[in-house]
């Protein structure tokens, strides 16, 4: 019958790509605020796009309804053991590419699937490696501090790929076990991170994709550390071209 998912991030084209490979229909529910470049990516992969709500949480609720009405299999973007395990393979790739264990790995957090998978894998092999989450909102940060999942009243949409009001149940359980800390960064710091990535690599990350670089800069400023290997996961380049002016204007402020 096909599959359905809700996503404001990379899960959307991922499910569409997997469904096309399997020869089955895919319905992708995305927030109305999703950048056009992400919507087009799903359409190019043969997915059916439904735009609903202002953030992921509204899109998720609608996707569950559509799944029930059309008898589609729902694929959760983060709160699913198989999805978490798949994202954990990134941790495996990072360790394979490091000649020795790094001091810390910085991972963006939306619903928490990415950091849960990476942390579970890395900590099982090298418990001494610090796993640091980075958020523009405080859903995981506040949940870990409270000892239970909290739901934010609202989330900003600048870093749309991680705009989630409530982290997953399984991702929260794993984060409590394996994540060392979560840093919060500002929009200006994210913009400065986008500029850093561009100047180093001539590539343009989306706001959610540059979170980890912004987190590293905040961490280094706080710890005054030198001579350490710090890994940033830059997880997305889906930014509308017309947003670059805004990003460039804010980057100088964030760079201080």
């Amino acid at each position: 019958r096909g599959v359905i998912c809700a996503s404001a991030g990379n899960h959307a084209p991922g499910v569409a790509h997997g469904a096309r490979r399997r020869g089955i229909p895919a319905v992708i529910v995305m927030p109305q605020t999703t950048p056009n470049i992400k919507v087009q990516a799903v359409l190019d992969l043969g997915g059916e796009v439904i735009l609903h709500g202002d953030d992921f949480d509204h899109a998720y609720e609608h996707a569950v309804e559509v799944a029930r009405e059309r008898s589609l299999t729902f694929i959760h973007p983060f709160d699913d053991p198989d999805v978490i395990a798949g994202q954990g393979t990134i941790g495996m790739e990072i360790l394979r590419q490091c000649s020795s264990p790094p001091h810390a790995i910085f991972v963006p957090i939306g619903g928490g699937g990415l950091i849960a998978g990476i942390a579970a894998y890395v900590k099982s092999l090298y418990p001494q490696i610090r796993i640091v989450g980075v958020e523009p909102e405080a859903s995981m940060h506040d949940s870990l501090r409270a000892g239970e999942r909290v739901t934010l009243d609202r989330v900003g949409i600048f870093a749309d790929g991680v705009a989630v009001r409530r982290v997953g149940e399984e991702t929260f359980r794993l984060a409590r076990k394996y994540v060392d800390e979560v840093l919060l960064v500002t929009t200006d710091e994210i913009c400065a991170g986008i500029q850093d990535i561009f100047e180093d690599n001539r590539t343009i990350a989306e706001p959610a994709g540059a979170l980890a670089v912004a987190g590293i800069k905040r961490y280094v400023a706080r710890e005054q550390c030198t001579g350490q290997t710090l890994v940033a996961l830059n997880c997305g380049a889906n930014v509308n071209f017309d947003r670059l002016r805004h990003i460039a204007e804010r980057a100088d402020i964030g760079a201080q």
Side-chain angles (χ1 to χ4, degrees):
R1 293 193 182 103
V3 296
I4 186 170
C5 76
S7 173
N10 297 325
H11 187 67
V15 170
H17 173 69
R20 186 169 73 169
R21 290 283 297 270
R22 302 286 293 179
I24 57 177
V27 179
I28 315 295
V29 184
M30 309 168 83
Q32 292 176 325
T33 52
T34 302
N36 291 334
I37 193 167
K38 288 186 181 180
V39 176
Q40 191 58 50
V42 172
L43 294 172
D44 290 345
L45 288 165
E48 174 191 341
V49 173
I50 299 175
L51 297 178
H52 183 88
D54 293 330
D55 56 31
F56 164 78
D57 299 270
H58 290 113
Y60 170 80
E61 292 167 4
H62 186 66
V64 172
E65 290 180 13
V66 175
R68 190 164 48 244
E69 292 168 0
R70 295 166 60 171
S71 298
L72 302 172
T73 298
F74 185 80
I75 303 178
H76 202 287
F78 49 83
D79 209 15
D80 179 284
D82 290 329
V83 172
I84 292 170
Q87 293 178 328
T89 63
I90 296 171
M92 181 176 66
E93 291 180 27
I94 289 172
L95 294 184
R96 284 179 176 174
Q97 292 177 34
C98 291
S99 55
S100 60
H103 172 72
I105 299 174
F106 292 74
V107 185
I109 296 179
L114 197 62
I115 196 167
I118 291 172
Y121 181 84
V122 170
K123 286 289 191 179
S124 68
L125 295 175
Y126 299 100
Q128 74 273 25
I129 297 176
R130 288 185 65 79
I131 303 295
V132 182
V134 190
E135 286 184 305
E137 312 290 346
S139 53
M140 184 67 83
H141 176 275
D142 288 0
S143 295
L144 291 175
R145 180 168 290 182
E148 61 181 5
R149 290 191 300 157
V150 300
T151 303
L152 303 180
D153 293 333
R154 56 177 295 278
V155 290
I157 60 169
F158 178 68
D160 52 275
V162 292
V164 176
R165 286 189 289 148
R166 183 179 175 89
V167 299
E169 185 175 351
E170 179 67 3
T171 61
F172 175 65
R173 183 185 73 82
L174 291 168
R176 290 187 75 181
K177 191 173 181 181
Y178 296 118
V179 174
D180 292 287
E181 70 171 309
V182 176
L183 299 175
L184 300 177
V185 295
T186 66
T187 293
D188 294 336
E189 288 173 317
I190 294 170
C191 291
I194 293 172
Q195 182 177 354
D196 290 329
I197 294 168
F198 173 76
E199 290 180 350
D200 280 353
N201 300 305
R202 300 299 185 269
T203 57
I204 299 173
E206 65 182 275
L211 275 177
V213 169
I216 280 186
K217 293 174 73 174
R218 181 170 274 252
Y219 181 84
V220 169
R222 186 190 76 191
E223 300 293 324
Q224 295 294 302
C225 51
T226 58
Q228 294 179 342
T229 301
L230 307 176
V231 179
L233 187 65
N234 301 332
C235 62
N238 297 300
V239 58
N240 283 347
F241 187 74
D242 58 10
R243 298 182 78 188
L244 298 181
R245 179 185 290 110
H246 171 77
I247 290 169
E249 289 170 349
R250 301 288 292 263
D252 282 344
I253 302 170
Q256 298 177 346

